Amino acid sequence: MTENESRTLLPGMRLDELLAELQGRLAAVLATRDRVHALMDAVVSVGSDLDLETVLRRIVATATTLVDASYGALGVVGEESTLVQFVPVGLSEEEIAAIEHWPHGLGLLGLLIKEPQTLRLARISDHPESYGFPPGHPPMGSFLGVPVRVREEVFGNLYLTEKRGGGEFDEEDEAIVVALATAAGVAIENARLYEETRRRETWLQASSEVTTSLLSGAGPEEVLTLIARQARQMTDADLTQVLLPDAGGQTLRVEISEGSAADAVRETVFPVDGSAAGAVFTGGEPANYANLQDVPYRISPLRESGFGPGLLVPLGAARAVRGVLALVKKPGRSPFSQADLRMLAAFAGQAAIALELAETRKDAERLGLLEDRDRIAKDLHDVVIQRLFAVAMTLMSTVRLVERPEASGRLQNAINELDETIRQIRSTIFALQTTGDEAAPSLRAQIVELVEGARGHLGFMPGLRMEGPLDNQVPEPVTEHLLAVLREALSNLVRHAKASKADVSVEVAGGRLTLVVRDDGVGLPPDGRRSGLRNLEERAVQAGGSFEAAAREEGGTRLCWSVPL
């Protein structure tokens, strides 16, 4: 090649090099332009929704797309520097099922929580803090972590791993994710404000409905059902339960259950001792759990049912708690916020008012019933009995004026019937004046039940007469003795007496309780077994009383069991 040809070729080679360099830089500029446009589209997309959970998932999906990552996640930091929510993207259903639990914020993720700054690694395993991945977690290589701040407060961290193609995340990837995280903070704040506004609006509407229901005189079950339904809607919970104590106060039963899994846990029982609900009931302080699987109690029915976040709020103030309002969500969902807790605490106060009003109405109705019974008893005593007594006195004075024995006998029978009627009315007056627990049967009712129960075996209804304040003055131990003695006497009457008529008399008078059972049967055999009668006598002696069983002159047997009160 001549010198002239070499001089001609050299400028051409330099021009090709310059053109190639220009083309490469132009391609880089175009690529940067495309990524900037993609970032701008991502910022618009992230801020286009106001539902917080949707916003969080969209942030993670957008970040993985921008930097070409295989996996992405957003870890929400709680009050105790732990991950209270984990939003993953890129994992298949099989991979999610294989993971034993979501990360709690240990190791490398914990480092980002303690030191919220950008972290970019070629290989995760090379970092000294690389540990804490849960069992079943897929292996990951390259890593990019960026904090997400909301008004200078760290909301959480974006985690991006496994850049496609086996490469590493570069400075440009980091800059793009940092810019996206800044826009994400604004979007999260907007979603929070919108959610707070919507929550307050829902709270005002729900509170108005509950107040209207309370003032309209609705029953406690209706009001509690409304409260449970509204609480579930306000907090977006999957299940809401109203737990009330049983009669003994040892367990909490599910009174109201609202939600998709309501039927499956409707019969659940929460022990007061050893459960989270029991601790809230006895302590009077609410409890907010990011994950019920971490509840520090040996018994947790909701944990065993597989629920995730849980919120337990007492119904009523401390030392006057009437129950517990329990709200839970499915695993993986965002935990209940402090705003939810404050709102539910006020809402639970209305539930306590509903229970208080129901109890007050019940007391008022019972008081009205007692007043009516007292009025009826006074009318019977002051009016009816006095008139009957006057009629009886008139008839008694008339008997002496009647000469015919048949007419005189009829008048005497009428006087006897009036006396018996007066005794029965007095017995009714004592029954009306009884103020015992309406849930437990009275002594009179138990006596009637025993006597009526013997009718089917005897073939006839025994006569029954009860006098005096049986329900007011007979203590529980004596009541047990009396019922046992009456049961044994009726049993002997059925098995041995062969009677066609019998009478039972129970009377409280002169500080003593007396039971008399008469029949017209075969009487007491002289050489018969007396074990049953000995039992009756022993019961009388235990109560400091007496017992007598003797044959009647007109035939049959008379049992008399009497004890002091």
Side-chain angles (χ1 to χ4, degrees), residues 440-458:
S442 64
L443 176 56
R444 292 173 179 273
Q446 295 180 76
I447 293 173
V448 171
E449 183 180 1
L450 286 177
V451 174
E452 289 184 346
R455 174 169 53 179
H457 301 287
L458 290 172

Side-chain angles (χ1 to χ4, degrees), residues 13-29:
M13 293 177 60
R14 289 179 178 175
L15 181 61
D16 289 342
E17 291 176 359
L18 291 173
L19 290 173
E21 183 180 353
L22 180 60
Q23 185 177 4
R25 292 187 177 183
L26 181 60
V29 170

Side-chain angles (χ1 to χ4, degrees), residues 3-130:
E3 185 177 350
N4 292 332
E5 291 176 342
S6 298
R7 291 177 179 176
T8 304
L9 184 60
L10 184 59
M13 293 177 60
R14 289 179 178 175
L15 181 61
D16 289 342
E17 291 176 359
L18 291 173
L19 290 173
E21 183 180 353
L22 180 60
Q23 185 177 4
R25 292 187 177 183
L26 181 60
V29 170
L30 292 174
T32 302
R33 183 200 65 180
D34 292 341
R35 298 192 75 175
V36 170
H37 287 171
L39 176 61
M40 293 176 64
D41 292 340
V43 170
V44 174
S45 174
V46 165
S48 62
D49 204 295
L50 291 176
D51 180 71
L52 184 57
E53 292 197 19
T54 303
V55 169
L56 298 182
R57 188 162 296 278
R58 187 171 293 177
I59 290 171
V60 182
T62 303
T64 56
T65 302
L66 285 175
V67 297
D68 206 21
S70 300
Y71 305 105
L74 177 62
V76 180
V77 181
E79 295 182 353
E80 299 180 357
S81 297
T82 58
L83 294 181
V84 296
Q85 186 180 4
F86 200 76
V87 183
V89 168
L91 294 173
S92 64
E93 294 293 334
E94 292 77 12
E95 288 175 320
I96 293 177
I99 299 176
E100 186 173 305
H101 59 81
W102 293 123
H104 296 308
L106 304 176
L108 194 60
L109 304 189
L111 177 64
L112 286 174
I113 294 175
K114 298 174 185 176
E115 302 176 6
Q117 56 187 4
T118 303
L119 180 63
R120 180 160 48 92
L121 301 172
R123 291 185 61 82
I124 296 178
S125 57
D126 294 338
H127 197 279
E129 296 288 336
S130 179

